[in-house]
PDB file of all heavy atoms in Angstrom:
ATOM      1  N   PHE C  34     -31.422  26.229   2.773  1.00  0.00           N
ATOM      2  CA  PHE C  34     -32.284  25.387   3.536  1.00  0.00           C
ATOM      3  C   PHE C  34     -33.632  25.928   3.502  1.00  0.00           C
ATOM      4  O   PHE C  34     -34.733  25.256   3.269  1.00  0.00           O
ATOM      5  CB  PHE C  34     -31.880  25.316   5.013  1.00  0.00           C
ATOM      6  CG  PHE C  34     -32.626  24.286   5.790  1.00  0.00           C
ATOM      7  CD1 PHE C  34     -32.423  22.990   5.739  1.00  0.00           C
ATOM      8  CD2 PHE C  34     -33.533  24.882   6.647  1.00  0.00           C
ATOM      9  CE1 PHE C  34     -33.176  22.080   6.494  1.00  0.00           C
ATOM     10  CE2 PHE C  34     -34.407  23.972   7.567  1.00  0.00           C
ATOM     11  CZ  PHE C  34     -34.102  22.509   7.414  1.00  0.00           C
ATOM     12  N   ILE C  35     -33.872  27.298   3.637  1.00  0.00           N
ATOM     13  CA  ILE C  35     -35.161  27.876   3.576  1.00  0.00           C
ATOM     14  C   ILE C  35     -35.786  27.759   2.143  1.00  0.00           C
ATOM     15  O   ILE C  35     -36.948  27.373   2.021  1.00  0.00           O
ATOM     16  CB  ILE C  35     -35.053  29.455   3.991  1.00  0.00           C
ATOM     17  CG1 ILE C  35     -34.661  29.629   5.392  1.00  0.00           C
ATOM     18  CG2 ILE C  35     -36.354  30.095   3.653  1.00  0.00           C
ATOM     19  CD1 ILE C  35     -34.252  30.942   5.847  1.00  0.00           C
ATOM     20  N   PHE C 110     -23.596  11.612   5.167  1.00  0.00           N
ATOM     21  CA  PHE C 110     -24.749  12.176   5.433  1.00  0.00           C
ATOM     22  C   PHE C 110     -24.761  13.748   5.519  1.00  0.00           C
ATOM     23  O   PHE C 110     -25.799  14.370   5.093  1.00  0.00           O
ATOM     24  CB  PHE C 110     -25.408  11.675   6.664  1.00  0.00           C
ATOM     25  CG  PHE C 110     -26.069  10.287   6.516  1.00  0.00           C
ATOM     26  CD1 PHE C 110     -25.474   9.106   6.772  1.00  0.00           C
ATOM     27  CD2 PHE C 110     -27.391  10.150   5.898  1.00  0.00           C
ATOM     28  CE1 PHE C 110     -26.010   7.866   6.432  1.00  0.00           C
ATOM     29  CE2 PHE C 110     -27.951   9.023   5.732  1.00  0.00           C
ATOM     30  CZ  PHE C 110     -27.287   7.821   5.987  1.00  0.00           C
ATOM     31  N   GLN C 158     -21.108   8.538 -15.403  1.00  0.00           N
ATOM     32  CA  GLN C 158     -22.428   9.238 -15.682  1.00  0.00           C
ATOM     33  C   GLN C 158     -22.670   9.139 -17.139  1.00  0.00           C
ATOM     34  O   GLN C 158     -23.830   8.912 -17.577  1.00  0.00           O
ATOM     35  CB  GLN C 158     -22.562  10.511 -15.021  1.00  0.00           C
ATOM     36  CG  GLN C 158     -23.967  11.059 -15.075  1.00  0.00           C
ATOM     37  CD  GLN C 158     -24.060  12.534 -14.493  1.00  0.00           C
ATOM     38  OE1 GLN C 158     -23.392  13.381 -14.938  1.00  0.00           O
ATOM     39  NE2 GLN C 158     -24.948  12.599 -13.526  1.00  0.00           N
ATOM     40  N   THR C 275     -29.795   4.529  -8.356  1.00  0.00           N
ATOM     41  CA  THR C 275     -30.576   5.665  -8.189  1.00  0.00           C
ATOM     42  C   THR C 275     -31.770   5.611  -9.293  1.00  0.00           C
ATOM     43  O   THR C 275     -32.865   5.928  -8.931  1.00  0.00           O
ATOM     44  CB  THR C 275     -29.730   6.913  -8.449  1.00  0.00           C
ATOM     45  OG1 THR C 275     -28.842   7.055  -7.401  1.00  0.00           O
ATOM     46  CG2 THR C 275     -30.589   8.126  -8.269  1.00  0.00           C
ATOM     47  N   LEU C 353     -43.388  11.106  -5.486  1.00  0.00           N
ATOM     48  CA  LEU C 353     -43.240  11.479  -4.131  1.00  0.00           C
ATOM     49  C   LEU C 353     -42.518  10.387  -3.361  1.00  0.00           C
ATOM     50  O   LEU C 353     -41.707  10.708  -2.390  1.00  0.00           O
ATOM     51  CB  LEU C 353     -44.641  11.729  -3.489  1.00  0.00           C
ATOM     52  CG  LEU C 353     -44.620  12.146  -2.115  1.00  0.00           C
ATOM     53  CD1 LEU C 353     -43.795  13.478  -1.802  1.00  0.00           C
ATOM     54  CD2 LEU C 353     -46.077  12.425  -1.578  1.00  0.00           C
ATOM     55  N   ALA C 370     -25.846  15.007  11.426  1.00  0.00           N
ATOM     56  CA  ALA C 370     -24.441  14.866  11.035  1.00  0.00           C
ATOM     57  C   ALA C 370     -23.915  16.307  10.895  1.00  0.00           C
ATOM     58  O   ALA C 370     -22.745  16.602  11.332  1.00  0.00           O
ATOM     59  CB  ALA C 370     -24.349  14.068   9.875  1.00  0.00           C
ATOM     60  N   LYS C 387      -8.674  30.324  22.914  1.00  0.00           N
ATOM     61  CA  LYS C 387      -7.977  30.148  24.223  1.00  0.00           C
ATOM     62  C   LYS C 387      -6.534  29.918  24.197  1.00  0.00           C
ATOM     63  O   LYS C 387      -5.763  30.527  24.922  1.00  0.00           O
ATOM     64  CB  LYS C 387      -8.734  29.026  25.075  1.00  0.00           C
ATOM     65  CG  LYS C 387      -8.316  28.975  26.555  1.00  0.00           C
ATOM     66  CD  LYS C 387      -9.008  27.863  27.249  1.00  0.00           C
ATOM     67  CE  LYS C 387     -10.548  28.162  27.321  1.00  0.00           C
ATOM     68  NZ  LYS C 387     -11.242  27.125  28.106  1.00  0.00           N
TER      69      LYS C 387
END
Side-chain angles (χ1 to χ4, degrees):
F34 187 75
I35 294 170
F110 279 97
Q158 189 180 55
T275 298
L353 179 58
K387 188 179 291 185

